[in-house]
Amino acid sequence: MEYPGRSPLVIENKVFSIPDTDQLDTYANGKLHGLGHPALVLLSLLDPGWPGRSWTTPDGAVWHYKGYDELCAVLRPCLRDLRKADLFGADAFERWLGLIDTLVCLSDEVGMPADSELLPEEAFAILKPARLDATVQKMRCLHATNRIRRELAGEIEQRGILVRTAMSRGQGRPARGPASAGRSRRASSGSSI
């Protein structure tokens, strides 16, 4: 998005996908090359677990994470004025905000496993027809990856280890490997979360 007199705003939108730092690095280095000092925002249902809520690419571009809950909090006050201008548009917008609220609650409820907690088969049976089973697996895997990052932060920084989340046949698996020129060698760390 460009607005005269302002820096361009670039928003990478991730609802059901895991935020991918390789993809963000590529965008900043390639597709966004030539934009004058863009503000880079990752809008995601899933918290990528970045220290300081930002990711610096190997080329120095900085992506800032914003959650959908934050977006809804900023947009919800606009409903009153929108309702005056466009009743149908306001109703559709209000339903969209409700959907996002529901997805945020789902993420909070089942997307963050406790220690050694596997999602029960009954839960998968409920989530599968709604096509949310893989999404919840991704949420849980990303949560586990973020926990690994937090608990091993000192070692990760000292040794240059990059901890990422990868998917294998639709199953989330935390992966860790040594950082190498902004990339990581992915190695599975075990069963799905």
Side-chain angles (χ1 to χ4, degrees):
M1 221 181 326
E2 290 189 70
Y3 189 76
R6 304 261 182 169
S7 294
L9 172 63
V10 176
I11 301 173
E12 175 60 15
N13 183 28
K14 298 286 186 187
V15 180
F16 296 124
S17 298
I18 294 174
D20 181 350
T21 52
D22 283 346
Q23 181 184 44
L24 298 176
D25 294 350
T26 300
Y27 285 169
N29 189 32
K31 293 181 180 180
L32 305 179
H33 193 71
L35 287 178
H37 307 291
L40 305 175
V41 176
L42 170 68
L43 176 62
S44 178
L45 182 63
L46 308 176
D47 183 345
W50 299 335
R53 296 172 52 103
S54 65
W55 172 261
T56 303
T57 70
D59 294 330
V62 180
W63 287 89
H64 300 278
Y65 162 70
K66 296 291 181 186
Y68 265 94
D69 55 336
E70 296 172 89
L71 178 65
C72 286
V74 170
L75 293 178
R76 197 172 305 281
C78 300
L79 265 173
R80 185 177 31 165
D81 290 339
L82 181 57
R83 198 167 300 289
K84 291 175 191 174
D86 181 356
L87 188 58
F88 176 78
D91 285 345
F93 186 59
E94 188 171 34
R95 289 178 192 271
W96 179 82
L97 290 170
L99 171 65
I100 295 302
D101 287 340
T102 300
L103 291 172
V104 168
C105 288
L106 175 70
S107 176
D108 291 345
E109 271 308 304
V110 296
M112 298 181 200
D115 289 348
S116 304
E117 180 192 37
L118 295 176
L119 195 63
E121 289 299 320
E122 311 83 70
F124 277 114
I126 293 168
L127 294 168
K128 192 166 183 89
R131 295 183 178 194
L132 291 172
D133 53 328
T135 298
V136 170
Q137 281 290 76
K138 291 174 188 179
M139 290 174 184
R140 295 168 70 83
C141 185
L142 186 60
H143 178 76
T145 302
N146 290 343
R147 184 169 176 189
I148 291 167
R149 278 193 201 113
R150 278 191 310 274
E151 291 185 11
L152 300 177
E155 184 178 343
I156 288 170
E157 190 173 311
Q158 287 175 353
R159 296 182 184 206
I161 297 171
L162 188 58
V163 180
R164 296 193 178 201
T165 305
M167 299 300 288
S168 174
R169 285 185 234 136
Q171 300 295 309
R173 301 184 188 282
R176 85 180 260 287
S180 172
R183 303 280 181 230
S184 70
R185 186 181 70 228
R186 292 191 173 123
S188 177
S189 68
S191 63
S192 61
I193 306 297

